[in-house]
Amino acid sequence: MRILIRTSKWAIWARRFGSLALPLTIIPVLLHREQLITSADFTVVEAVAAGVAALAVFLALGAFGRLWITGDQGWSKAGWGLFFGIVCLLPFAYLGYEAMRYPMVDEVTTDSADPLPLVSPVRVAPTGSPLRDEIAAIFPNAQTRSYPVDATEMFAIVDGLVEARGWDVRTRRAPPTALDIGQINAIAVTLFGWRDEVAIRVAGTALGSVIDMRSVPLGGFHDFGENGKRIEEFLVALDQKITLTLRDAPQAAAAPDTEAPPLPEGDDAE
């Protein structure tokens, strides 16, 4: 007599939902980064993907319980469903963790008294004093910088760092002289495709130059700390670049003159 061993339907549906959640999670990110879908549509699709992934995990866990009791087939299907579901839920867990770590902000700036102008048509609500203090405590390196480097040279260094990060520059206004002001406005894209505008100001002074930054989210209900981290990372990189520049400058100035001295004039020059 042949004994029929069934395949658990829970396991089958766990793998099906897990297989559906994977492209439903990844493809919208690619479309969002390329601006083929709006941020609002991206949020809706990803919410659906999270629900499908959670359902896959639930079905997989239920399948494991039923398989243990009934002895049916489907362990591998349930395993794949659980794996796909967990993989798809990891980005949401990361974003949830970042949302708890960082406050919800409309901007991060090093100069709240004179915010840098933006080129994007976005309205930014003024940041209250308590929130500014919280931002300063969380991002201690997001502060105005002063360097003993003239504004024209400093602007070239800043421009190079912006280009190295692949930001989409919208305006670039170099300072005409060492005592003038220059500014760069660029669009930075986050890992998940949200866009932020970054403004960098280089102001020349008698002692060198002063650098201020402003980073503003252009969409989404939470920036997950991206703007503050971006300013800190950029300014720390700028600190390191200027340190190397100032360290190498005296060596270049102190390099020995390799040209031969001129011969004295007169009959004795032979």
Side-chain angles (χ1 to χ4, degrees):
M1 181 177 180
R2 184 176 180 181
I3 300 175
L4 179 62
I5 301 178
R6 299 177 304 174
T7 300
S8 170
K9 291 183 178 180
W10 284 64
I12 294 173
W13 283 104
R15 190 183 67 172
R16 287 177 179 176
F17 278 107
S19 301
L20 175 62
L22 197 61
L24 202 57
T25 302
I26 297 175
I27 293 177
V29 174
L30 303 178
L31 297 177
H32 191 212
R33 289 182 60 88
E34 296 299 324
Q35 292 186 289
L36 298 177
I37 59 175
T38 65
S39 294
D41 293 337
F42 170 74
T43 302
V44 172
V45 175
E46 288 297 335
V48 173
V52 174
L55 183 58
V57 171
F58 171 77
L59 291 172
L61 295 177
F64 287 141
R66 292 180 63 86
L67 292 173
W68 180 263
I69 296 173
T70 63
D72 290 344
Q73 293 180 348
W75 288 95
S76 62
K77 290 181 174 60
W80 281 113
L82 180 64
F83 174 75
F84 289 147
I86 291 177
V87 167
C88 294
L89 288 175
L90 285 177
F92 301 99
Y94 168 76
L95 292 178
Y97 174 70
E98 294 295 280
M100 291 187 295
R101 285 182 62 194
Y102 299 106
M104 187 180 299
V105 300
D106 292 321
E107 67 171 349
V108 178
T109 178
T110 60
D111 187 0
S112 57
D114 184 20
L116 284 70
L118 305 175
V119 297
S120 301
V122 58
R123 297 182 61 183
V124 181
T127 304
S129 179
L131 183 55
R132 287 201 303 268
D133 295 339
E134 185 178 0
I135 293 173
I138 296 175
F139 305 109
N141 286 316
Q143 302 292 333
T144 300
R145 296 294 202 272
S146 298
Y147 301 105
V149 179
D150 70 73
T152 54
E153 181 181 356
M154 177 59 67
F155 187 87
I157 294 174
V158 168
D159 190 30
L161 292 177
V162 170
E163 291 292 336
R165 280 153 182 76
W167 296 346
D168 181 14
V169 176
R170 298 299 175 89
T171 62
R172 181 187 284 109
R173 186 179 70 253
T177 68
L179 296 179
D180 285 314
I181 297 176
Q183 182 166 321
I184 295 175
N185 288 70
I187 302 297
V189 182
T190 67
L191 176 63
F192 296 98
W194 285 294
R195 280 161 170 73
D196 306 323
E197 180 171 345
V198 185
I200 308 172
R201 180 172 61 207
V202 180
T205 67
L207 300 178
S209 56
V210 175
I211 309 298
D212 279 297
M213 284 189 69
R214 185 186 186 191
S215 191
V216 177
L218 302 181
F221 66 96
H222 202 300
D223 77 334
F224 305 103
E226 289 288 342
N227 290 281
K229 289 185 287 186
R230 180 182 297 111
I231 290 180
E232 280 200 319
E233 185 276 331
F234 187 91
L235 291 179
V236 169
L238 184 59
D239 290 340
Q240 297 172 349
K241 182 68 174 180
I242 297 303
T243 298
L244 294 176
T245 300
L246 295 178
R247 185 194 66 183
D248 296 339
Q251 297 178 1
D257 190 357
T258 58
E259 295 182 2
L263 293 175
E265 298 180 358
D267 296 339
D268 297 335
E270 297 180 0

